[in-house]
Amino acid sequence: MSAFSAIGDDREIDRDEFTPGIEPQATWCPGCGDFGVLKALKQAMPEVGRNPDEVALFTGIGCSGKLNSYFNSYGFHTIHGRSLPVARAAKLANPDVEVIAAGGDGDGYGIGGNHFIHTARENHDMTYIVFNNEIFGLTKGQTSPTSPKGHKSKTQPHGSAKTPVRPLSQSLNAGATYIARTAAVNPNQAKEIIAEAIEHDGFAHIDFLTQCPTWNKDAKQYVPYTDIQQSEDYDFDVSNRQEASEMMFETENKLHEGEVLTGRYYVEDGRPSYGQEKRQIGEMPEEPLAERYFDEDAEWERTYDNLLEHHK
Amino acid sequence: MTDNELIWRIAGGSGDGIDSTSQNFAKALMRSGLHVFTHRHYPSRIRGGHTYVEVRAKDDPVQSRGDGYNFLLALGDSFARNPQDEAYYGKEELKPLYENFDELREGGVLLYDEGLLDESDVEEIELEEHAEENGWHLVPMDLRGIAKEHGREIMRNTAGIGATAAILGIDTTEFENLIEQNMSGDMQEANLSVLEDAYEAASDLDIDHDIEVPDGSHDEEQVILSGSNAISYGALDEGCRFISGYPMTPWTDVFTIMSQHLPEFGGISEQVEDEIAAAALALGASHMGVKSMSGSSGGGFALMSEPLGLAEMTETPLVLVEAMRAGPSTGMPTKPEQADLEHVLYTSQGDSARVVFAPANIRECYTQTRSAFRIAYEYQIPTIVVYDQKIQGELRNVPASHFDEEANADPGSVLTEDEIQEAAHHASGKFQRFLHEPADGSNVSPRSVPGQKDGRYLATGNEHNPSGHISEDPENRIAQMERRINKLDDIRSDLDENTSHQTYYGPEDADHGILVWGSQQDTVFESVDRLNENGHSVKALGVSDMMPYPVDEVSEWLDSVDEALVVEMNASAQFRGLTQKEIGKYGDKLSSLLKYNGNPFEPAEIVDGFETSINGEDLAASNMKYLPAAGD
């Protein structure tokens, strides 16, 4: 048996394979938008033809981090804001494994903001889903980087004086090559976007609007939504940076005016992913590095044979 | 003073080529059959400032830097000229001269580049008076002029080497060979001419001094390299093929060496946005089955505290390097200290399960880095190699055969797919990654890596049950915690049986002891020889395992001495504290000699400190501190 026989298995995949058996019980609140992410992710997997053993899911901390518990793949529930650096090394170490990262708006745009910018800049071939509910949920309702200006919470009793971050624009400026926004209340679109993002060869960022029924009292905060690809009011070219940028700006403004726009915003095909770039310049091996440790025929060079000459 | 040795100091400004010149000088002396050791001192500054490197050469192995030095090649700081308006440079041009006065031994030779200095300036520092007082031989030469005649001013270095060789009677063949190997075309021609001209010019001067450069020969082939080279080569030989880092002095050295060589070994190096990311990447690659490392220096290592704890909790193997420099905070970036010991032992929340090694020298940098990988991957635990700016930068000759070791790519306790099929699985479909009681009776529950069939599990920084699901069940908690923490006992036994990292030195039946850790070990060993020659009865124990601490070994040794002086480069006696904490006694037996002025110990200082401790006197030297034993 080969070392990684799960990879490349081309049988038909059933979405139920991604549901763990008897445990664990969900601890998300009833009506939580996070269920929508889980469902869409499970539905997307048969479409992309990946089985649970060839998928590695990396999460941060918070309600979003629990995704790992309910999604049956290889999982790494890391630390607050740090899912991306762990995930991107995983992709470099074994590019044959499907790497998906997930986090919340505090996790991804706050504490992990630096990693977000740099992962997008490098265009790692992975999918990054940010559960955006505009609130810190698990720590019981504090203002988050996406909370609207004036948002009142126990830690910002006078109302936040900060302008919320613009995740779509930020992602575009940083260098992501697939950028979309979807919402838990829109399951079909969510599934399609996740599948596209996984198949995209580069850094795919999904800002996933997930309502928080407990701390953002209006559980229907993202309804009604408009799918920009389906609406006749919006017409722009997703491969055009300038047009995408303008559309994102408008979308980000409108969210706080109560109008929810979703869809694909930017798709750049043809730019090589970071791993491909590294291979091209000779900084990364052609074959997955992880496989070499299981290959009995692999040759391991010694420094004695290679490097000591310089020191004589 | 020790006879029959050359301690040659080259001084100038950063950027004047002091480093490369001293490396070549040391290598040439090694090739001629001598044992060599370099000590490097440099400011936190890109160009200019006072920098020097000492090369100590003897016909028997050199353990340490010496006490002072006997030959100064002062090149002058070429970057002190033409200062920008607004900037104040002071008398920096002269610094390579007067900053080095203190330690030049009586009767030493002081060769300086008069081509770079005004006579009036030289008068100002009273060079003649100092020379007369100390019996120094002053040799002003226009090195700059000789260099310019054949090429560029920067070749002052080569002129300095030529003149040094003539004054000391060293054959120039090896210097010529090095120039021929490292340069080509016009550069090679010009440097050879500069070397020859300076040699002849200095020969004509006929300086009468009593420095004798010893003759020596090696029994086997030698190589000259730094601690950072040795750590990197240890990692590569142990199958490390992934490194991630962020530049920070002095850790940058290992990061640079690894980044240069990893692609040719089929590996990957990543320079990333910060140290949290750096450690997180190494963790991610290791999770996938690749042997990985990261590292930093004090402040950067502080950022790694989080991923370090995650590695402990998820039992993901990880090797980190911590290159210490003087702290707290950014401290003194280019000066050595041993004050991050408690930082590497205890940083990160919760009960720590990590392994810490502190190599003594270049040989141990290689062997202990190999141990660090073996232990990390066999026991699924993070290991830290802590060393300091001293070992990082010093060069020393080591027999080439020391590195003639087989590569070991074994990824440790990872299962094959066949083995995963046989292993226990949970009803949820997950592989039992974190068994309470692994089948072989050890505390290591073997892992799978993503992509392997039926090996799915969840790695999480939360407490978790055997299949990786988050759990706060009290019984599970106890079982998992005990299994993780008990690995340290297993590792202690493993090290005791297979790879003792402690070094015993001096007569076994000595009355007094010196206890020392990390980079100061070999300097202490040289002092022990001198103390015994002076009629004392002293032995030393150099400890390299910081966690798990070698309690039995150190206790037994401490029982065998009346009292022991603990020597370390920090102000708060951290290693002495660790020893007392781990062993739980000897508070009345251990006194401390501490140095924290940014310079490592010289052997004579340890001799003084020891004699002070024996006599119960106060320490005369103001650059060190003596801390008596409790109750004294």
Side-chain angles (χ1 to χ4, degrees), chain B residues 3 10 24 28 55 83 86 99 102-103 122 141 184 204 253 310 332 334 383 489 516 520-521 561 630:
Chain B
D3 294 329
I10 177 172
N24 281 335
V55 178
E86 311 285 323
E99 286 270 335
D102 280 355
E103 295 189 300
V122 177
M141 282 183 73
S184 58
D204 292 342
D253 229 29
L310 181 63
M332 297 198 281
T334 63
T383 61
D489 294 335
V516 57
Q520 302 308 293
Q521 295 185 41
V561 292

Side-chain angles (χ1 to χ4, degrees), chain B residues 489-504:
Chain B
D489 294 335
D490 303 344
I491 293 167
R492 185 67 264 153
S493 309
D494 179 327
L495 291 169
D496 287 341
E497 274 170 40
N498 300 309
T499 331
S500 176
H501 292 150
Q502 279 56 253
T503 311
Y504 296 85

Side-chain angles (χ1 to χ4, degrees), chain A residues 284-303:
Chain A
M284 195 168 136
E286 289 294 330
E287 298 300 317
L289 190 46
E291 279 185 6
R292 207 179 332 153
Y293 292 88
F294 295 89
D295 179 358
E296 284 178 9
D297 299 326
E299 284 183 21
W300 293 86
E301 291 169 270
R302 298 187 308 159
T303 56

Side-chain angles (χ1 to χ4, degrees), chain A residues 5 88 274 278 292-293 302, chain B residues 239 266 270 273 404 417 460:
Chain A
S5 69
R88 72 198 204 219
Y274 184 64
K278 265 181 97 80
R292 207 179 332 153
Y293 292 88
R302 298 187 308 159
Chain B
E270 277 289 287
E273 59 271 24
D404 188 5
E417 284 201 339
T460 168

Side-chain angles (χ1 to χ4, degrees), chain B residues 212-436:
Chain B
E212 276 181 45
V213 180
D215 279 335
S217 67
H218 297 296
D219 304 341
E220 54 173 319
E221 189 172 37
Q222 304 287 310
V223 287
I224 181 165
L225 70 173
S226 73
S228 302
N229 287 126
I231 286 178
S232 304
Y233 299 170
L236 288 167
D237 282 351
E238 207 58 29
C240 171
R241 291 294 181 270
F242 188 97
I243 193 167
S244 45
Y246 186 87
M248 182 172 184
T249 304
W251 137 262
T252 312
D253 229 29
V254 165
F255 186 35
T256 308
I257 295 166
M258 289 295 281
S259 300
Q260 281 168 354
H261 295 303
L262 266 175
E264 74 197 55
F265 280 79
I268 298 172
S269 165
E270 277 289 287
Q271 181 180 321
V272 297
E273 59 271 24
D274 59 33
E275 286 88 350
I276 308 176
L281 263 96
L283 192 56
S286 184
H287 175 70
M288 302 301 283
V290 171
K291 290 170 101 170
S292 312
M293 80 192 284
S294 184
S296 192
S297 295
F301 188 78
L303 295 189
M304 296 183 163
S305 172
E306 266 188 23
L308 173 65
L310 181 63
E312 292 178 348
M313 192 51 146
T314 58
E315 300 180 65
T316 309
L318 177 66
V319 177
L320 297 175
V321 170
E322 217 265 41
M324 295 182 286
R325 63 192 218 185
S329 191
T330 32
M332 297 198 281
T334 63
K335 301 290 182 284
E337 203 166 78
Q338 294 180 297
D340 290 348
L341 176 60
E342 291 182 346
H343 185 44
V344 298
L345 289 173
Y346 309 123
T347 189
S348 194
Q349 63 273 41
D351 290 314
S352 292
R354 74 193 59 170
V355 174
V356 181
F357 297 135
N361 51 41
I362 286 149
R363 287 164 180 260
E364 288 190 8
C365 281
Y366 177 77
T367 50
Q368 291 184 17
T369 301
R370 296 203 65 162
S371 295
F373 271 92
R374 181 180 72 81
I375 296 291
Y377 281 82
E378 266 185 41
Y379 292 89
Q380 303 176 0
I381 192 168
T383 61
I384 301 165
V385 176
V386 58
Y387 75 135
D388 62 43
Q389 192 268 350
K390 175 184 179 288
I391 312 186
Q392 168 261 323
E394 74 194 13
L395 299 174
R396 192 166 171 179
N397 63 296
V398 179
S401 60
H402 181 71
F403 302 94
D404 188 5
E405 294 285 329
E406 285 308 306
N408 173 33
D410 185 352
S413 44
V414 183
L415 297 178
T416 63
E417 284 201 339
D418 287 335
E419 289 165 336
I420 291 169
Q421 302 305 321
E422 305 292 316
H425 283 72
H426 184 264
S428 67
K430 297 225 165 175
F431 159 66
Q432 302 277 32
R433 159 75 178 90
F434 304 99
L435 291 170
H436 291 168

